[in-house]
Amino acid sequence: MTKIKKDLVELMNRYKELEFIINKSPVIVFLWKNEENWPVEFVSENITQFGYTRDEFLSGKIKYSDIIHPKDLERVKIEVAKYSQSDMTEFKQEYRIISKSKETIWIDDRTFIRRSNSGEITHFQGVILDISDIKKVQQDLEESEKKFRGISEQILIGIGILQDGKILYVNKMAEEIFGYNMNEMQTWDEGEFVRTIHPDDLERELEYIKTIQTDPNVNEIQFQTRGIKKSGDIFYADAIFKKLTYNDRPALIGMFIDISEQFESERKLKESEEKFRQISEQLLVSVGILQDNKVIYVNKKLCETFGYDYEELTSWTFDDFHKVIHPDSIEEEIKLIEQIIQDNDQQEIQFQSKAIKKSGEIIWAENLFRKITYNGRPALLGMFIDITEKKEAESALKLTQFAIDHSVDPAFWMDEKFQIIYVNEALCKSLGYTREELLSMKGFDLNPTYPKEAWRPTWERIKEKGSIIIETYHQKKNGVLIPVEAYISYLQYDNKEYNCAFAHDISDRKKSERKLKESEEKYREAFYRENFYKDLFTHDMRNILQPIRTSLELYEYESKNKMELLHDRDFFEKIHFQIDRATHLINNIKKFSEIESFEQSLEEMNIYQLLQMNISNIQKSFKNKKTLIKLEPNYQSNYLILGNELLNEVIENILLNSIIHNDNDEIHISIGILKVIKNQKAYIRIDFSDNGRGIEDSRKKIIFNRAYNQDKSTIGMGLGLSLVRIIVGKLDGLVWVEDRIPNDYKQGSKFIVLLPEVDC
């Protein structure tokens, strides 16, 4: 008991010491019940700093919610409810309370949540601290910053604040100058502001920033620089950087004035004189300036035009002009130039004249003299264009007009209202009208068979394309229609639109076309007749072969128990074989006709089933030959292709080829099927391998050609393999032949067929 009592006394002493510390500190301790309006179970004595006593709270006279500012109370309740529903054990709030003297006080509240063993909240333990002074400082800072921003947003200087390599603030003018908004720039990483600096100025500008940041003697730096806008445009600016303290830490404030227009004006001003000289020197117009009765400037073109050098011409006075003026017009030209110099009201004069070069060559010139002010004093600007070629062109144009007037082909021009404004002699002669009659007509009067409402769309088509060639008709004065081929061009001259047409009489050509059409019809009739004869041949040959086959079968039936049949069996087998070959040849001819004349419809087919059916048919046809046909794999699989009944011809012809061209007592044919990829496309590959005679390398490339075998004495493959190539090609497949045993064709052949696989 003595020890417990001693410990209890020590604990009480510590509690009193702690209570003393709390009561002497600015921090006030509360313990509230988790009940409505938060009744207080404990509050430290230093609550008196807000004018209240402990007893007022502990007696229940005042609840904690009573001292919370009315405008903050609802928010505080919502936040406490939200924190209570979470798993949090403590939370922080800032709000206002009302002191007993009605003074508003900002407090920082750190609250700890007490829960029972069952998890229910019983109490809130809070530690509150008066932060009114801090809030006032913050408000003063915010007000100061607001004033700064208000002023900043009104001035025409771009302003930005840079701290720790990041942009904290820019005003509207800075946003306009750089093209970025403040939100964008505030998200940039440290140092990313350099994207606004021209690469050529970057090193210099970063050195300036480093200097003002590190040198205590440098508080401000000013320079001209180039910046890059968000759009990529380059601008020029006067920049000033100053040190300042922002949020209690060192920073830089940058001020920028966009001087691009000023810089551009100065640059243009400096370049203007040079540009004048450069342009003047490159002009195709001769330029000279006369001032105080002297030639003070000439460009290179003027020197070239008249054949004098610069020094010669700039040593001339007004009286020396007679050297370049043609004698026929010298008096008149000198008078015109003197007139513009002396007449204050006349500012310029323009005329054409002949001139003489230094070499004595005569040229035509377009002359323009204009009064100007040069170096602050009156002067006369002279400009001269060599129009010799133009004069020659005008002469050539007159010759062209003469040629069109006397052209063999009729020609006429129309305006945009279809009024005929020009006709040549050939059109008058062709149609039997006089020139006056045609010029009173519209374009559609020449061809009354062409609907009037179609002329405007035709005009627009010619305007769009520039020119067209059409076949139409012209009607003569006597009513006869002439077929013509018209070449019509769209022209625009002096803001007016025209159609210019040349018409060529094609009566003879039309007669030839009619004859050609009649010839084509005769050819078509012959083609149909050839098909008729081909069908007739197929039909009649089958009628001829069928009785022979029937007779043989009857003879075999009647003589099957007789010895003579055994003696003649080989002979009859050969006859049967030749009949089969003839029948197959006829079928192939018929198939060629079908496959060349129309496209077969395609459907999904299983190649494995087709092979089985054709193997069965072939074995029935060759009962007297020992033929072994092996299909691998020996089980049905999903080998799907797109085809039609003509695929049977492919399989049958390849199998027949392997049997017919095989001299062995036992004929072996192996058929393999597999799926392959060729050129990124899926195929079904079918290999037909036999032990027949084989095919020499020189014949492998031509056996699928229709007329490959020119030596008629040689036993060929007939039309069958040609048919195979055509059918496989129409199915987007491939077919070729190889040696069954590589490099030894005598060991048999391998025919390979690739057909596109159907996507499953």
Side-chain angles (χ1 to χ4, degrees):
M1 285 294 292
T2 304
K3 186 176 185 306
I4 292 173
K5 184 177 180 181
K6 185 178 179 181
D7 290 341
L8 189 59
V9 170
E10 184 178 351
L11 184 61
M12 287 297 294
N13 290 335
R14 287 184 180 179
Y15 171 76
K16 288 179 180 180
E17 183 179 354
L18 180 60
E19 187 176 25
F20 177 79
I21 292 171
I22 291 172
N23 288 331
K24 294 299 181 180
S25 73
V27 176
I28 301 171
V29 178
F30 270 97
L31 182 64
W32 310 290
K33 292 180 181 179
N34 183 22
E35 295 177 5
E36 186 177 1
N37 296 324
W38 302 310
V40 177
E41 278 196 357
F42 173 82
V43 61
S44 57
E45 289 182 358
N46 56 352
I47 187 64
T48 55
Q49 63 183 284
F50 297 147
Y52 299 103
T53 65
R54 290 181 66 185
D55 291 340
E56 287 178 304
F57 286 99
L58 298 178
S59 65
K61 182 179 179 181
I62 299 176
K63 294 184 172 58
Y64 187 74
S65 63
D66 295 336
I67 70 171
I68 298 176
H69 196 287
K71 292 184 178 180
D72 293 348
L73 180 59
E74 188 62 28
R75 173 176 63 84
V76 172
K77 286 182 177 181
I78 292 171
E79 289 177 356
V80 170
K82 181 182 73 172
Y83 296 140
S84 298
Q85 292 170 4
S86 68
D87 294 333
M88 297 176 64
T89 59
E90 59 182 85
F91 56 88
K92 175 183 178 297
Q93 293 173 287
E94 286 186 4
Y95 52 88
R96 292 167 292 179
I97 65 171
I98 306 297
S99 70
K100 195 164 186 176
S101 62
K102 305 303 181 183
E103 181 184 358
T104 299
I105 301 169
W106 274 96
I107 64 164
D108 178 293
D109 179 357
R110 308 294 174 96
T111 301
F112 301 89
I113 301 174
R114 285 187 181 182
R115 287 183 170 87
S116 65
N117 293 335
S118 61
E120 293 183 3
I121 298 175
T122 60
H123 293 81
F124 295 101
Q125 179 180 328
V127 177
I128 66 173
L129 175 67
D130 184 350
I131 58 170
S132 299
D133 291 341
I134 296 174
K135 278 291 183 180
K136 187 175 185 310
V137 170
Q138 288 178 348
Q139 288 171 354
D140 290 345
L141 284 173
E142 288 174 3
E143 187 64 30
S144 174
E145 187 171 338
K146 188 182 295 184
K147 287 180 181 178
F148 164 75
R149 287 175 183 263
I151 296 170
S152 172
E153 297 302 325
Q154 298 298 319
I155 63 176
L156 299 178
I157 298 175
I159 294 177
I161 295 177
L162 183 71
Q163 189 176 65
D164 298 329
K166 299 187 71 174
I167 294 175
L168 302 185
Y169 165 78
V170 292
N171 68 347
K172 287 183 180 178
M173 181 53 65
E175 290 180 334
E176 289 182 18
I177 292 174
F178 292 100
Y180 298 94
N181 61 49
M182 185 166 66
N183 291 336
E184 286 180 283
M185 300 176 88
Q186 285 176 335
T187 61
W188 291 352
D189 294 334
E190 182 180 338
E192 199 174 347
F193 68 90
V194 299
R195 68 165 67 176
T196 62
I197 304 172
H198 192 284
D200 294 345
D201 297 343
L202 180 60
E203 185 177 351
R204 175 175 62 95
E205 202 164 320
L206 290 178
E207 187 62 33
Y208 288 155
I209 293 172
K210 181 181 178 182
T211 299
I212 195 172
Q213 286 177 329
T214 58
D215 191 336
N217 299 317
V218 178
N219 293 310
E220 177 183 318
I221 195 164
Q222 184 173 351
F223 53 91
Q224 272 193 2
T225 185
R226 286 170 294 177
I228 300 178
K229 294 176 176 283
K230 184 178 181 179
S231 63
D233 293 338
I234 297 171
F235 67 94
Y236 289 82
D238 276 334
I240 301 173
F241 279 91
K242 286 187 175 183
K243 290 178 180 177
L244 85 160
T245 300
Y246 190 78
N247 290 338
D248 298 326
R249 293 176 46 240
L252 292 179
I253 182 169
M255 290 169 279
F256 309 91
I257 301 174
D258 189 338
I259 60 168
S260 298
E261 291 185 7
Q262 175 189 339
F263 186 87
E264 186 66 15
S265 298
E266 291 175 357
R267 185 183 64 81
K268 286 181 179 179
L269 191 61
K270 291 176 183 177
E271 292 178 355
S272 60
E273 183 178 348
E274 183 62 29
K275 275 189 176 181
F276 166 75
R277 290 187 173 272
Q278 288 179 355
I279 292 171
S280 176
E281 294 303 322
Q282 294 176 17
L283 282 176
L284 298 178
V285 177
S286 301
V287 178
I289 297 177
L290 182 71
Q291 191 176 60
D292 298 332
N293 203 38
K294 290 183 179 181
V295 177
I296 61 171
Y297 170 75
V298 292
N299 69 348
K300 187 187 297 183
K301 185 64 178 178
L302 191 141
C303 298
E304 292 175 359
T305 299
F306 293 102
Y308 295 91
D309 60 34
Y310 182 84
E311 287 72 20
E312 287 180 288
L313 289 171
T314 51
S315 67
W316 283 10
T317 65
F318 178 75
D319 295 335
D320 292 310
F321 275 129
H322 72 274
K323 297 179 183 179
V324 295
I325 302 174
H326 195 276
D328 294 347
S329 58
I330 187 168
E331 185 176 343
E332 182 182 357
E333 283 191 47
I334 294 294
K335 185 178 179 180
L336 288 170
I337 298 171
E338 287 178 343
Q339 180 181 333
I340 191 174
I341 293 174
Q342 296 168 5
D343 190 343
N344 294 329
D345 296 329
Q346 189 172 4
Q347 296 299 313
E348 70 176 38
I349 191 169
Q350 187 172 353
F351 57 89
Q352 291 183 0
S353 66
K354 287 189 286 185
I356 303 175
K357 300 176 73 168
K358 186 177 181 179
S359 63
E361 180 185 352
I362 297 173
I363 61 172
W364 276 93
E366 182 83 35
N367 309 298
L368 173 66
F369 287 92
R370 177 178 295 167
K371 289 178 179 177
I372 63 169
T373 299
Y374 189 78
N375 288 334
R377 301 196 341 269
L380 188 66
L381 174 69
M383 291 181 283
F384 314 92
I385 302 174
D386 187 342
I387 59 170
T388 306
E389 291 184 0
K390 178 183 176 183
K391 285 289 186 180
E392 292 173 352
E394 289 175 354
S395 177
L397 185 60
K398 292 178 181 178
L399 178 61
T400 302
Q401 184 65 52
F402 178 83
I404 294 174
D405 287 340
H406 298 83
S407 170
V408 175
D409 284 330
F412 63 96
W413 308 161
M414 290 186 301
D415 64 17
E416 57 186 330
K417 295 180 180 178
F418 310 115
Q419 179 65 49
I420 297 174
I421 61 171
Y422 166 79
V423 295
N424 68 351
E425 288 295 331
L427 186 69
C428 299
K429 183 178 179 181
S430 171
L431 301 182
Y433 290 99
T434 64
R435 185 185 300 274
E436 290 71 23
E437 288 175 317
L438 287 169
L439 291 177
S440 67
M441 296 166 64
K442 301 278 189 179
F444 40 74
D445 293 328
L446 299 181
N447 182 9
T449 65
Y450 197 70
K452 288 185 179 181
E453 61 270 15
W455 278 75
R456 177 54 60 188
T458 302
W459 179 284
E460 295 301 327
R461 184 158 62 95
I462 298 169
K463 181 177 179 179
E464 179 185 354
K465 293 183 175 296
S467 65
I468 63 169
I469 300 175
I470 60 171
E471 288 188 8
T472 183
Y473 290 92
H474 282 172
Q475 188 177 54
K476 300 176 70 171
K477 190 174 183 178
N478 61 10
V480 175
L481 290 174
I482 306 171
V484 295
E485 183 177 72
Y487 179 85
I488 309 172
S489 298
Y490 170 83
L491 296 175
Q492 192 173 37
Y493 178 75
D494 198 20
N495 294 324
K496 293 182 180 179
E497 297 177 326
Y498 302 95
N499 270 356
C500 305
F502 289 86
H504 178 67
D505 188 337
I506 57 172
S507 300
D508 293 338
R509 191 176 83 188
K510 285 295 181 182
K511 291 177 183 177
S512 299
E513 288 176 353
R514 282 196 297 272
K515 289 181 181 179
L516 180 61
K517 186 176 181 181
E518 292 171 0
S519 174
E520 288 177 352
E521 289 175 353
K522 289 179 181 179
Y523 169 78
R524 191 175 291 108
E525 183 180 350
F527 174 76
Y528 292 146
R529 192 183 303 115
E530 185 267 339
N531 278 340
F532 170 74
Y533 290 150
K534 181 168 59 179
D535 292 340
L536 185 64
F537 164 77
T538 304
H539 179 267
D540 289 352
M541 281 297 295
R542 284 175 175 161
N543 288 343
I544 292 170
L545 291 172
Q546 186 58 41
I548 297 174
R549 183 187 296 276
T550 303
S551 298
L552 284 171
E553 289 174 351
L554 286 172
Y555 179 80
E556 289 175 345
Y557 178 77
E558 292 294 334
S559 306
K560 58 185 176 182
N561 294 322
K562 298 179 182 180
M563 291 301 295
E564 59 267 25
L565 181 62
L566 294 173
H567 179 72
D568 296 332
R569 180 171 299 280
D570 289 342
F571 173 73
F572 285 117
E573 284 182 357
K574 289 178 181 179
I575 294 174
H576 272 297
F577 180 65
Q578 294 303 324
I579 291 172
D580 288 340
R581 290 195 68 188
T583 302
H584 193 64
L585 174 62
I586 293 168
N587 288 336
N588 282 343
I589 291 173
K590 184 66 175 173
K591 291 298 181 183
F592 264 114
S593 174
E594 293 174 357
I595 200 167
E596 296 290 350
S597 61
F598 66 94
E599 289 290 334
Q600 296 286 331
S601 60
L602 302 180
E603 60 183 13
E604 199 173 280
M605 307 180 80
N606 192 317
I607 192 66
Y608 191 91
Q609 294 174 354
L610 287 178
L611 287 166
Q612 283 183 318
M613 181 181 71
N614 280 276
I615 291 169
S616 176
N617 292 339
I618 287 292
Q619 287 176 332
K620 289 177 183 177
S621 300
F622 291 92
K623 291 180 180 179
N624 297 326
K625 281 197 173 187
K626 192 170 184 180
T627 304
L628 301 176
I629 303 177
K630 184 179 180 183
L631 179 59
E632 297 177 348
N634 58 5
Y635 57 88
Q636 184 168 337
S637 185
N638 195 27
Y639 297 109
L640 298 179
I641 53 114
L642 280 179
N644 53 36
E645 60 182 12
L646 292 177
L647 266 177
N648 291 316
E649 299 299 324
V650 173
I651 299 169
E652 182 180 333
N653 274 288
I654 293 176
L655 291 175
L656 281 175
N657 187 77
S658 296
I659 294 171
I660 292 170
H661 300 282
N662 197 316
D663 301 325
N664 295 306
D665 294 335
E666 287 189 2
I667 297 172
H668 292 272
I669 301 174
S670 175
I671 305 175
I673 313 175
L674 66 157
K675 298 182 180 183
V676 297
I677 300 294
K678 185 177 179 66
N679 296 330
Q680 298 182 340
K681 188 174 180 181
Y683 288 89
I684 301 296
R685 170 169 167 161
I686 309 105
D687 293 355
F688 298 84
S689 300
D690 63 55
N691 63 339
R693 299 175 196 155
I695 302 168
E696 297 177 9
D697 290 345
S698 60
R699 298 174 61 213
K700 285 185 175 69
K701 294 181 180 179
I702 60 174
I703 62 168
F704 295 101
N705 294 337
R706 193 167 188 170
Y708 84 94
N709 191 353
Q710 300 300 324
D711 184 0
K712 302 302 180 184
S713 63
T714 304
I715 298 175
M717 305 301 178
L719 297 175
L721 293 181
S722 298
L723 188 63
V724 167
R725 174 182 59 82
I726 294 172
I727 294 171
V728 171
K730 284 187 175 291
L731 296 176
D732 292 331
L734 299 169
V735 60
W736 70 92
V737 64
E738 299 176 353
D739 296 331
R740 183 173 68 87
I741 305 299
N743 301 320
D744 188 358
Y745 77 90
K746 294 181 179 180
Q747 297 298 318
S749 302
K750 179 194 289 186
F751 284 84
I752 301 163
V753 178
L754 283 184
L755 295 171
E757 183 182 8
V758 174
D759 294 333
C760 298

